[in-house]
Amino acid sequence: MPVSRVALPVRARHHFGHEMLPALMESGTYAVDPEPRGGPWIPWDEVGEEGAAALGVFAPVYSLFSGPPGAVVVAPGDVRGTVPIPGHDGYCMGLDGRDGPNLACEECDRPVATRMDDCSIWQAVWLNPSAVRRVPGPAPRITDWGTVVEEGHGAPPVEQPGYWSPQWEAAAGVALAHLLVASAGARVALPGGLVTDMFGRALDALLPPGRPTRTLALTGPGLPVSGASDVDIALVPVHPQTGEAWQPPGNPAIVPLPTDVWLGLAFPEDLPRLPVTGGLPRGVERDDPLPLRPGWTFRPDRHLFLYTLARLPAVREPWLRRLYLQLQNPTKFRVS
């Protein structure tokens, strides 16, 4: 079936809890991972600083993939003409790709893809770039920012009682790495509300105490532009098709967020307020249904935070390098 290219979701490398997660990709879409994917793993000591930098990794990691870049990911239901390869399994309730490709071409039996659907993993099929080819179709129409905001749907921060959204935790982990770089090691004034819930405790742990000297603002299409040019750091949406961040006025440092999470911050959906019949005075209202509440404080995803930070060139700065090495040992230093 025909599929259209979109930006690779930030949660593509995200693991969450001990439960079955939905599909990573929407049906009818595909994304390309520009980084190497697949084994065998190469230890950091064998790769070295220069070799890792050539692969876009600028701080020590345990090991690196040696597989080819350019893997294509699609929704499991969009795959046609493949059959399972016997003998593959996962850790718990499904497949996790630990044994390599587990789907073969139905006609030639060549391994062509890896299906991943174990617990804690966003369900997806990753197509081997050396085994498949793209058949060009009509050029997709790139949606303008106004339409993205008007027709997009914000991801709610809490999806079920007691649980923060895993999409928000993944997005915050990536954004926190960019925010830490943009801070230049100085305290950052946050706008309050959900933005502070997402980043406040982590920044308190990562940055030195004192008065904030840099200011972060939520900016983007559909929001007022007054004062936007005076901020030091802008929290902006990433276009869902192109993956390009929205560019605010004034040239501040950019902290990207997936559009659905950014919409949830910029334009939160209000719950309906229905009058109570009987028992309360006239004019008194209540929320119905009651708003969902998380059972704990928000924590950006630690794995994605470190993964992203290691791939930002600024991590080579001495202050950030020292902090990164401390953060690799969670028993000595925690993000939140």
Side-chain angles (χ1 to χ4, degrees), residues 32-33 35 37 67-72 110 112-113 126-134:
V32 179
D33 189 351
E35 298 186 16
R37 188 177 185 88
V72 175
R110 180 183 181 184
V112 293
W126 291 88
L127 304 175
N128 189 328
S130 64
V132 300
R133 63 183 177 89
R134 178 177 178 268

mmCIF file of all heavy atoms in Angstrom, residues 32-33 35 37 67-72 110 112-113 126-134:
data_model
loop_
_atom_site.group_PDB
_atom_site.id
_atom_site.type_symbol
_atom_site.label_atom_id
_atom_site.label_comp_id
_atom_site.label_asym_id
_atom_site.label_seq_id
_atom_site.Cartn_x
_atom_site.Cartn_y
_atom_site.Cartn_z
ATOM 1 N N VAL A 32 12.306 7.472 8.138
ATOM 2 C CA VAL A 32 13.637 6.938 7.898
ATOM 3 C C VAL A 32 14.543 7.313 9.069
ATOM 4 O O VAL A 32 14.590 8.474 9.483
ATOM 5 C CB VAL A 32 14.224 7.481 6.578
ATOM 6 C CG1 VAL A 32 15.635 6.938 6.352
ATOM 7 C CG2 VAL A 32 13.320 7.116 5.401
ATOM 8 N N ASP A 33 15.249 6.315 9.596
ATOM 9 C CA ASP A 33 16.206 6.555 10.673
ATOM 10 C C ASP A 33 17.565 6.854 10.042
ATOM 11 O O ASP A 33 18.162 5.982 9.399
ATOM 12 C CB ASP A 33 16.306 5.323 11.571
ATOM 13 C CG ASP A 33 17.127 5.578 12.827
ATOM 14 O OD1 ASP A 33 17.755 6.655 12.925
ATOM 15 O OD2 ASP A 33 17.142 4.697 13.715
ATOM 16 N N GLU A 35 20.396 7.216 11.439
ATOM 17 C CA GLU A 35 21.527 6.653 12.175
ATOM 18 C C GLU A 35 21.671 5.158 11.900
ATOM 19 O O GLU A 35 20.709 4.491 11.496
ATOM 20 C CB GLU A 35 21.340 6.900 13.675
ATOM 21 C CG GLU A 35 21.302 8.367 14.054
ATOM 22 C CD GLU A 35 21.263 8.569 15.549
ATOM 23 O OE1 GLU A 35 21.574 7.616 16.287
ATOM 24 O OE2 GLU A 35 20.931 9.683 15.983
ATOM 25 N N ARG A 37 21.660 1.265 12.397
ATOM 26 C CA ARG A 37 20.728 0.457 13.173
ATOM 27 C C ARG A 37 21.045 -1.012 12.946
ATOM 28 O O ARG A 37 21.284 -1.450 11.844
ATOM 29 C CB ARG A 37 19.288 0.764 12.771
ATOM 30 C CG ARG A 37 18.254 0.117 13.663
ATOM 31 C CD ARG A 37 16.846 0.514 13.273
ATOM 32 N NE ARG A 37 15.887 -0.035 14.209
ATOM 33 C CZ ARG A 37 15.496 0.554 15.339
ATOM 34 N NH1 ARG A 37 15.976 1.739 15.645
ATOM 35 N NH2 ARG A 37 14.635 -0.019 16.149
ATOM 36 N N GLY A 67 25.261 -1.548 12.150
ATOM 37 C CA GLY A 67 24.416 -1.771 10.987
ATOM 38 C C GLY A 67 24.331 -0.540 10.103
ATOM 39 O O GLY A 67 24.790 0.545 10.460
ATOM 40 N N PRO A 68 23.730 -0.688 8.921
ATOM 41 C CA PRO A 68 23.651 0.435 7.989
ATOM 42 C C PRO A 68 22.625 1.472 8.439
ATOM 43 O O PRO A 68 21.651 1.135 9.113
ATOM 44 C CB PRO A 68 23.205 -0.240 6.678
ATOM 45 C CG PRO A 68 22.415 -1.431 7.137
ATOM 46 C CD PRO A 68 23.108 -1.914 8.372
ATOM 47 N N PRO A 69 22.822 2.738 8.083
ATOM 48 C CA PRO A 69 21.800 3.757 8.349
ATOM 49 C C PRO A 69 20.683 3.649 7.318
ATOM 50 O O PRO A 69 20.788 2.919 6.330
ATOM 51 C CB PRO A 69 22.571 5.067 8.191
ATOM 52 C CG PRO A 69 23.638 4.738 7.196
ATOM 53 C CD PRO A 69 24.025 3.298 7.458
ATOM 54 N N GLY A 70 19.610 4.389 7.571
ATOM 55 C CA GLY A 70 18.536 4.471 6.583
ATOM 56 C C GLY A 70 17.441 3.445 6.721
ATOM 57 O O GLY A 70 16.664 3.243 5.773
ATOM 58 N N ALA A 71 17.306 2.790 7.894
ATOM 59 C CA ALA A 71 16.207 1.854 8.089
ATOM 60 C C ALA A 71 14.872 2.587 7.988
ATOM 61 O O ALA A 71 14.718 3.701 8.484
ATOM 62 C CB ALA A 71 16.335 1.159 9.440
ATOM 63 N N VAL A 72 13.901 1.943 7.347
ATOM 64 C CA VAL A 72 12.575 2.525 7.140
ATOM 65 C C VAL A 72 11.602 1.864 8.110
ATOM 66 O O VAL A 72 11.558 0.631 8.205
ATOM 67 C CB VAL A 72 12.106 2.321 5.690
ATOM 68 C CG1 VAL A 72 10.679 2.820 5.507
ATOM 69 C CG2 VAL A 72 13.040 3.028 4.717
ATOM 70 N N ARG A 110 14.127 -14.038 1.366
ATOM 71 C CA ARG A 110 15.224 -13.217 1.864
ATOM 72 C C ARG A 110 14.755 -12.413 3.078
ATOM 73 O O ARG A 110 13.685 -11.809 3.053
ATOM 74 C CB ARG A 110 15.697 -12.260 0.774
ATOM 75 C CG ARG A 110 16.848 -11.364 1.211
ATOM 76 C CD ARG A 110 17.229 -10.374 0.118
ATOM 77 N NE ARG A 110 18.341 -9.526 0.522
ATOM 78 C CZ ARG A 110 18.833 -8.529 -0.206
ATOM 79 N NH1 ARG A 110 18.309 -8.271 -1.402
ATOM 80 N NH2 ARG A 110 19.846 -7.812 0.237
ATOM 81 N N VAL A 112 13.998 -9.408 5.193
ATOM 82 C CA VAL A 112 13.811 -8.034 4.724
ATOM 83 C C VAL A 112 13.436 -7.051 5.826
ATOM 84 O O VAL A 112 13.543 -5.837 5.618
ATOM 85 C CB VAL A 112 12.723 -7.972 3.624
ATOM 86 C CG1 VAL A 112 13.190 -8.695 2.371
ATOM 87 C CG2 VAL A 112 11.395 -8.537 4.126
ATOM 88 N N ALA A 113 12.992 -7.522 7.000
ATOM 89 C CA ALA A 113 12.480 -6.580 8.000
ATOM 90 C C ALA A 113 12.498 -7.203 9.380
ATOM 91 O O ALA A 113 12.632 -8.424 9.539
ATOM 92 C CB ALA A 113 11.063 -6.137 7.638
ATOM 93 N N TRP A 126 10.587 -2.549 11.032
ATOM 94 C CA TRP A 126 11.746 -1.840 10.508
ATOM 95 C C TRP A 126 12.245 -2.577 9.271
ATOM 96 O O TRP A 126 12.644 -3.744 9.350
ATOM 97 C CB TRP A 126 12.844 -1.768 11.567
ATOM 98 C CG TRP A 126 12.494 -0.889 12.720
ATOM 99 C CD1 TRP A 126 11.828 -1.239 13.861
ATOM 100 C CD2 TRP A 126 12.774 0.510 12.843
ATOM 101 N NE1 TRP A 126 11.684 -0.155 14.686
ATOM 102 C CE2 TRP A 126 12.253 0.931 14.086
ATOM 103 C CE3 TRP A 126 13.417 1.432 12.028
ATOM 104 C CZ2 TRP A 126 12.357 2.236 14.534
ATOM 105 C CZ3 TRP A 126 13.522 2.745 12.471
ATOM 106 C CH2 TRP A 126 13.000 3.132 13.711
ATOM 107 N N LEU A 127 12.214 -1.909 8.120
ATOM 108 C CA LEU A 127 12.637 -2.497 6.863
ATOM 109 C C LEU A 127 14.144 -2.316 6.682
ATOM 110 O O LEU A 127 14.665 -1.209 6.852
ATOM 111 C CB LEU A 127 11.887 -1.849 5.692
ATOM 112 C CG LEU A 127 10.355 -1.890 5.771
ATOM 113 C CD1 LEU A 127 9.753 -1.099 4.609
ATOM 114 C CD2 LEU A 127 9.850 -3.323 5.757
ATOM 115 N N ASN A 128 14.817 -3.399 6.329
ATOM 116 C CA ASN A 128 16.258 -3.355 6.104
ATOM 117 C C ASN A 128 16.548 -2.518 4.853
ATOM 118 O O ASN A 128 16.068 -2.835 3.765
ATOM 119 C CB ASN A 128 16.788 -4.777 5.919
ATOM 120 C CG ASN A 128 18.295 -4.833 5.896
ATOM 121 O OD1 ASN A 128 18.953 -3.898 5.438
ATOM 122 N ND2 ASN A 128 18.854 -5.923 6.378
ATOM 123 N N PRO A 129 17.350 -1.439 4.970
ATOM 124 C CA PRO A 129 17.565 -0.564 3.803
ATOM 125 C C PRO A 129 18.274 -1.253 2.640
ATOM 126 O O PRO A 129 18.158 -0.817 1.499
ATOM 127 C CB PRO A 129 18.402 0.583 4.370
ATOM 128 C CG PRO A 129 19.058 0.021 5.587
ATOM 129 C CD PRO A 129 18.083 -0.976 6.151
ATOM 130 N N SER A 130 19.018 -2.337 2.918
ATOM 131 C CA SER A 130 19.712 -3.030 1.835
ATOM 132 C C SER A 130 18.850 -4.083 1.156
ATOM 133 O O SER A 130 19.265 -4.681 0.163
ATOM 134 C CB SER A 130 20.989 -3.689 2.380
ATOM 135 O OG SER A 130 20.667 -4.692 3.336
ATOM 136 N N ALA A 131 17.647 -4.312 1.697
ATOM 137 C CA ALA A 131 16.793 -5.367 1.155
ATOM 138 C C ALA A 131 15.517 -4.842 0.513
ATOM 139 O O ALA A 131 14.767 -5.620 -0.073
ATOM 140 C CB ALA A 131 16.436 -6.366 2.260
ATOM 141 N N VAL A 132 15.257 -3.560 0.627
ATOM 142 C CA VAL A 132 14.043 -2.988 0.046
ATOM 143 C C VAL A 132 14.427 -1.762 -0.770
ATOM 144 O O VAL A 132 15.520 -1.208 -0.634
ATOM 145 C CB VAL A 132 13.019 -2.595 1.134
ATOM 146 C CG1 VAL A 132 12.602 -3.809 1.946
ATOM 147 C CG2 VAL A 132 13.596 -1.530 2.068
ATOM 148 N N ARG A 133 13.532 -1.346 -1.634
ATOM 149 C CA ARG A 133 13.756 -0.133 -2.415
ATOM 150 C C ARG A 133 12.475 0.685 -2.452
ATOM 151 O O ARG A 133 11.377 0.148 -2.325
ATOM 152 C CB ARG A 133 14.207 -0.456 -3.840
ATOM 153 C CG ARG A 133 13.191 -1.230 -4.659
ATOM 154 C CD ARG A 133 13.737 -1.583 -6.036
ATOM 155 N NE ARG A 133 12.788 -2.389 -6.793
ATOM 156 C CZ ARG A 133 11.841 -1.889 -7.573
ATOM 157 N NH1 ARG A 133 11.708 -0.567 -7.692
ATOM 158 N NH2 ARG A 133 11.034 -2.689 -8.238
ATOM 159 N N ARG A 134 12.650 1.975 -2.627
ATOM 160 C CA ARG A 134 11.518 2.892 -2.662
ATOM 161 C C ARG A 134 10.973 2.991 -4.080
ATOM 162 O O ARG A 134 11.730 3.135 -5.042
ATOM 163 C CB ARG A 134 11.944 4.274 -2.169
ATOM 164 C CG ARG A 134 10.853 5.319 -2.212
ATOM 165 C CD ARG A 134 11.365 6.637 -1.638
ATOM 166 N NE ARG A 134 10.351 7.677 -1.720
ATOM 167 C CZ ARG A 134 10.224 8.526 -2.733
ATOM 168 N NH1 ARG A 134 11.066 8.451 -3.754
ATOM 169 N NH2 ARG A 134 9.290 9.441 -2.738
#
